[in-house]
């Protein structure tokens, strides 16, 4: 097993490691065979848009569900849900953890009474969030920090429409679950079905919020897999220049994972134990690709 300290820079590699391929496979800037974009240097991206979203793909979609903190004395908490396509496991073993990336709510999308985002230090932001639950953060981040818990739901193929619809920019006093089940939401869905005229459109599933077994957060009853998480901490992505980073990583410890029998297959191990394996072909998870409304469905395993 190699160690990081054993690696050497390319400039001191021995001759046997030098590039020996043909000129049409070697990257050379300005050769007409490649498209390049240098961040912070090029004013216009020749790819039309920041290519990171298409290069880093496919991406697991963390469908984050939370309860809004009961700040106004309402008896029934407001259930929030929204998709985050940067969601990844950051620790495994006996104490697994997940993290999702969130940025402040943009002013043009903010139809709540939340304060607008203002640039402060990480400690000031954390203090303000805990005091008033606002500061322009999106629901998933604010709710996780204030309530200390959240659920991560896996998006299967039949829930793709609902996942996309739940990205609607609502205020903290509104529930994406309720919107999708409201008359307006149903009318929008029916109109889109007529426009598409496809069989797939008739298989859409509207998510149902159900209180999680172990934490005070909702999960999607129709999701084949969901995870109950306890909030650990928020880490702000470091600035390179003054206040040029607006993203934060919200980290949670996975305390329970729930998998439906319908998407698992039972088999017997060599030592005689019966175990379940998650069958990706049955789960059919939706993954994020690049621009606009680009998604894919994972249906096949490569063994």
């Amino acid at each position: 097993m190699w160690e990081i300290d054993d690696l050497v820079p390319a400039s001191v590699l021995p001759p046997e490691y030098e590039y020996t391929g043909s000129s049409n496979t070697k990257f050379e800037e300005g050769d007409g065979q490649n498209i390049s974009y240098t961040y912070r240097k090029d004013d216009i991206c020749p790819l039309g848009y920041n290519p990171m979203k298409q290069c880093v793909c496919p991406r697991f979609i963390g469908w984050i569900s939370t309860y809004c903190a009961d700040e106004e004395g309402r008896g029934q908490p407001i259930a929030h849900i929204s998709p985050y396509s940067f969601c990844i496991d950051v620790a495994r073993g006996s104490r697994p953890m997940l993290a999702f990336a969130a940025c402040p709510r943009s002013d043009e999308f903010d139809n709540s009474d939340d304060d607008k985002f203002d640039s402060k230090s990480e400690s000031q932001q954390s203090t303000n969030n805990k005091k008033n639950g606002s500061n322009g953060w999106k629901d998933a981040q604010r709710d996780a920090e204030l309530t200390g818990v959240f659920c991560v739901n896996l998006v299967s193929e039949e829930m793709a429409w609902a996942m996309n619809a739940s990205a609607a920019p609502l205020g903290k006093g509104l529930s994406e679950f309720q919107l999708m089940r409201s008359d307006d939401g149903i009318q929008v869905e029916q109109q889109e079905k007529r426009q598409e005229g496809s069989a797939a459109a008739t298989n859409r599933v509207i998510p149902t919020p159900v209180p999680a077994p172990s934490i005070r957060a909702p999960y999607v009853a129709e999701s084949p897999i969901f995870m109950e998480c306890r909030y650990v901490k928020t880490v702000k992505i470091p600035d390179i220049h003054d206040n040029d980073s607006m993203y934060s990583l919200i980290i949670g410890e996975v305390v329970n994972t729930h998998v439906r029998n319908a998407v698992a297959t039972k088999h017997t191990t060599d030592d005689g134990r019966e175990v379940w394996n998650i069958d990706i072909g049955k789960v059919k998870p939706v993954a994020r690709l690049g621009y606009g409304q680009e998604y894919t469905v994972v249906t096949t395993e490569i063994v």
Side-chain angles (χ1 to χ4, degrees):
M1 180 175 179
W2 54 265
E3 299 289 342
I4 292 294
D5 292 340
D6 294 334
L7 300 180
V8 295
S11 59
V12 296
L13 285 177
E16 59 265 29
Y17 289 104
E18 290 183 359
Y19 177 80
T20 58
S22 61
S23 59
N24 61 353
T25 59
K26 183 179 180 180
F27 175 83
E28 293 182 4
E29 188 171 358
D31 62 2
Q33 303 298 315
N34 301 279
I35 303 171
S36 299
Y37 174 55
T38 303
Y39 291 89
R40 301 182 179 279
K41 177 182 177 182
D42 297 342
D43 294 330
I44 300 176
C45 177
L47 294 163
Y49 186 74
N50 184 340
M52 280 293 293
K53 290 184 177 181
Q54 276 200 324
C55 295
V56 183
C57 70
R59 302 189 300 279
F60 170 76
I61 299 172
W63 211 11
I64 311 297
S65 53
T66 56
Y67 283 134
C68 180
D70 192 4
E71 299 169 348
E72 299 179 14
R74 290 185 288 261
Q76 183 66 29
I78 298 171
H80 289 147
I81 186 167
S82 54
Y84 290 83
S85 64
F86 185 98
C87 184
I88 190 171
D89 58 322
V90 292
R92 299 176 184 175
S94 61
R95 198 182 178 203
M97 295 189 187
L98 286 171
F100 65 93
C103 62
R105 187 194 305 274
S106 65
D107 292 353
E108 63 177 318
F109 291 154
D110 190 355
N111 57 0
S112 71
D113 294 329
D114 297 352
D115 298 334
K116 303 302 181 186
F117 171 72
D118 55 348
S119 298
K120 295 181 174 69
S121 68
E122 182 176 359
S123 59
Q124 287 176 310
Q125 291 171 354
S126 178
T127 300
N128 287 346
N129 285 345
K130 292 178 180 178
K131 284 182 178 179
N132 56 37
S134 57
N135 212 30
W137 299 125
K138 291 183 177 178
D139 294 332
Q141 177 176 354
R142 181 185 57 244
D143 293 348
E145 291 175 343
L146 290 176
T147 66
V149 290
F150 61 93
C151 283
V152 179
N153 307 273
L154 188 143
V155 181
S156 54
E157 183 177 16
E158 66 272 12
M159 290 188 292
W161 178 87
M163 175 274 298
N164 191 49
S166 69
L170 304 182
K172 68 178 180 180
L174 301 174
S175 170
E176 294 81 6
F177 286 105
Q178 292 180 358
L179 175 65
M180 286 183 279
R181 291 185 175 276
S182 67
D183 291 339
D184 291 340
I186 293 174
Q187 288 174 5
V188 169
E189 181 192 10
Q190 291 175 341
Q191 181 181 0
E192 291 182 354
K193 283 183 179 180
R194 289 193 295 270
Q195 291 174 347
E196 293 174 3
S198 64
T202 63
N203 296 327
R204 290 172 178 165
V205 173
I206 305 298
T208 305
V210 178
S214 304
I215 62 174
R216 193 175 180 274
Y219 72 93
V220 175
E222 296 80 7
S223 177
I225 299 173
F226 75 94
M227 290 164 278
E228 299 177 89
C229 302
R230 295 192 184 279
Y231 170 76
V232 175
K233 69 181 299 184
T234 298
V235 179
K236 185 180 182 297
I237 303 302
D239 296 329
I240 297 177
H241 300 288
D242 291 341
N243 302 317
D244 67 343
S245 174
M246 58 182 180
Y247 285 90
S248 295
L249 281 180
I250 296 82
I251 303 172
E253 178 183 1
V254 180
V255 294
N256 283 303
T257 297
H258 305 272
V259 181
R260 291 191 177 277
N261 290 353
V263 298
T265 303
K266 183 183 290 187
H267 73 99
T268 304
T269 63
D270 294 338
D271 58 2
R273 292 181 300 113
E274 286 192 339
V275 296
W276 293 87
N277 279 350
I278 297 174
D279 188 334
I280 292 298
K282 295 179 179 179
V283 176
K284 296 183 179 178
V286 175
R288 192 75 166 92
L289 295 177
Y291 312 139
Q293 303 300 314
E294 293 182 347
Y295 298 91
T296 189
V297 178
V298 181
T299 60
T300 306
E301 295 181 50
I302 299 177
V303 181

